[in-house]
Amino acid sequence: MEALRVQLLAEKSEISVPSQYVQPPETRPQIEKTNVKSAVPVIDLSSRTNLLDELKKACREWGVFQVINHKVPISLLDDIMRVGRTFFGGCEMEEKLKYSCDSASPASEGYGSRMLVASNETVLDWRDYFDHHTLPLSRRNPSHWPDSPADYRKVVAEYSDHMKALAQELLGLVSESLDLTCQCIENVVGEFYQNITISYYPPCPQPELTLGLQSHSDFGVITLLIQDDVGGLEVFNNGEWVSVNPMSNAICVILADQTEIITNGEYKSAQHRAVTNAGRSRLSVATFHDPAKTRQISPAFHPPRYRPVIYGDHVSSWYTKGPEGKRNLDALLL
């Protein structure tokens, strides 16, 4: 059964959250212990001085970094946030539900609230989302997307193209930072399968008990994320949760599981989560770049530390078992 839209729950102004959203004690966010002083690396893509060294350090030590001067038009970043907020905040629920995704099919396109395969034990995230299938072009059908505001579909399509170009540039730099050819990682991955997920996190009456998005590592190759000024993205680093502070006009780059495999563990996929707050709604836009489900992914170095994996098998495991932090990768270690 499809989960109730979190936005509707939040609008009821209850003083407590329903039990299915309450995290077990060991995974609840301890806001007072979140490290807000350690800074996720920021890399200026316009400065080629020491760029590869900075990138290597960020990938080895964090698996996540923010990029500035990335050539994506700032007006486009503003536009994608605007159309997303208009859909979640400006459309009646009846209109939004016309775009509901198939709750029985993981990662189906459309408007939803539950990502994982349903089970009685599944703790739900305090989040609604709209997932767009954007690449390859054979998957892109703008008629599946909202038509209000009037430029919604145009903005998403243009954003998709810019994110693809940036992902290609970044994977080229990641390859070069390991003394691989520029095209090495992209050649292993093959054609990008890209999804753009706009996530809406309503205010939560008990943020200390819930998560907007549970701890996980992304299962694809590379994720490009922007967030509004509310904040809530956290990354696990050196045994503690660190806030990824919103930076105006920056794009957050998150390395995913397949990049860890291809780099033979030299670079780790980033374990991250989203926390909630009681006062303000939050919006983020994550653009995922993945291989085809039939693609076999294996390390580019010898001797390999990971078994080859058919990407679709890895995805099925993630959706069935749940992310469990990033435990699905452990089964591939040699």
Side-chain angles (χ1 to χ4, degrees):
M1 185 178 69
E2 175 61 90
L4 183 66
R5 298 295 180 252
V6 176
Q7 187 173 4
L8 287 177
L9 291 173
E11 289 172 354
K12 290 182 178 180
S13 300
E14 302 283 357
I15 61 173
S16 60
V17 299
S19 59
Q20 62 265 41
Y21 294 89
V22 176
Q23 292 286 326
E26 63 271 17
T27 59
R28 292 174 189 169
Q30 295 178 292
I31 307 299
E32 71 280 0
K33 292 186 178 180
T34 298
N35 188 333
V36 295
K37 296 181 180 179
S38 294
V40 169
V42 177
I43 295 178
D44 185 347
L45 293 182
S46 70
S47 173
R48 295 290 158 169
T49 305
N50 300 322
L51 175 59
L52 292 182
D53 289 339
E54 291 180 12
L55 190 73
K56 178 180 288 190
K57 182 177 174 65
C59 291
R60 279 207 169 126
E61 296 181 1
W62 288 85
V64 60
F65 51 93
Q66 302 204 67
V67 293
I68 57 174
N69 294 319
H70 40 65
K71 300 178 184 175
V72 179
I74 302 306
S75 60
L76 185 57
L77 302 183
D78 294 339
D79 282 344
I80 192 77
M81 297 294 282
R82 171 181 57 80
V83 300
R85 192 161 286 282
T86 298
F87 173 76
F88 285 102
C91 291
E92 296 294 332
M93 183 58 66
E94 182 180 5
E95 178 67 18
K96 290 198 280 277
L97 290 174
K98 291 179 183 178
Y99 299 99
S100 292
C101 59
D102 179 1
S103 61
S105 176
S108 66
E109 186 170 34
Y111 173 54
S113 297
R114 182 200 292 270
M115 288 292 285
L116 299 178
V117 173
S119 74
N120 291 334
E121 292 77 31
T122 300
V123 179
L124 299 178
D125 296 326
W126 192 261
R127 175 187 78 132
D128 295 331
Y129 62 86
F130 199 110
D131 191 34
H132 311 74
H133 293 177
T134 43
L135 290 175
L137 289 176
S138 59
R139 298 171 72 234
R140 184 187 293 183
N141 187 346
S143 68
H144 293 166
W145 310 339
D147 57 6
S148 178
D151 61 345
Y152 188 109
R153 296 171 179 177
K154 175 178 178 291
V155 167
V156 172
E158 185 178 350
Y159 189 79
S160 164
D161 295 339
H162 279 275
M163 289 297 105
K164 176 186 176 182
L166 180 57
Q168 289 173 317
E169 178 185 359
L170 289 166
L171 289 180
L173 292 170
V174 169
S175 294
E176 290 179 340
S177 73
L178 289 170
D179 297 320
L180 300 168
T181 63
C182 179
Q183 296 294 319
C184 179
I185 293 178
E186 192 174 347
N187 286 341
V188 175
V189 172
E191 184 176 32
F192 278 152
Y193 277 66
Q194 183 198 70
N195 284 19
I196 296 176
T197 302
I198 302 179
S199 294
Y200 177 77
Y201 303 88
C204 179
Q206 293 178 297
E208 72 280 2
L209 299 181
T210 62
L211 286 171
L213 194 60
Q214 62 187 285
S215 171
H216 67 289
S217 62
D218 293 340
F219 45 71
V221 179
I222 191 169
T223 303
L224 305 178
L225 181 142
I226 60 173
Q227 56 177 335
D228 62 18
D229 63 349
V230 176
L233 177 64
E234 297 182 350
V235 61
F236 196 67
N237 184 260
N238 288 329
E240 61 182 355
W241 288 103
V242 180
S243 293
V244 182
N245 297 321
M247 277 187 67
S248 180
N249 304 332
I251 296 174
C252 183
V253 180
I254 302 173
L255 300 186
D257 290 350
Q258 307 312 302
T259 296
E260 177 170 334
I261 294 170
I262 296 168
T263 65
N264 212 26
E266 289 293 322
Y267 296 163
K268 301 293 187 182
S269 58
Q271 186 177 340
H272 55 286
R273 69 183 185 183
V275 298
T276 62
N277 75 86
R280 296 175 64 189
S281 62
R282 172 176 176 259
L283 197 79
S284 69
V285 183
T287 307
F288 303 95
H289 297 88
D290 305 337
K293 296 283 182 67
T294 56
R295 194 80 173 182
Q296 178 172 285
I297 304 297
S298 57
F301 295 92
H302 295 281
R305 300 174 188 166
Y306 297 81
R307 306 177 199 278
V309 63
I310 301 299
Y311 179 63
D313 294 343
H314 185 70
V315 173
S316 296
S317 174
W318 196 96
Y319 276 113
T320 303
K321 298 177 183 176
E324 300 177 354
K326 57 179 297 184
R327 297 283 67 86
N328 286 338
L329 267 184
D330 287 354
L332 302 177
L333 285 167
L334 293 170

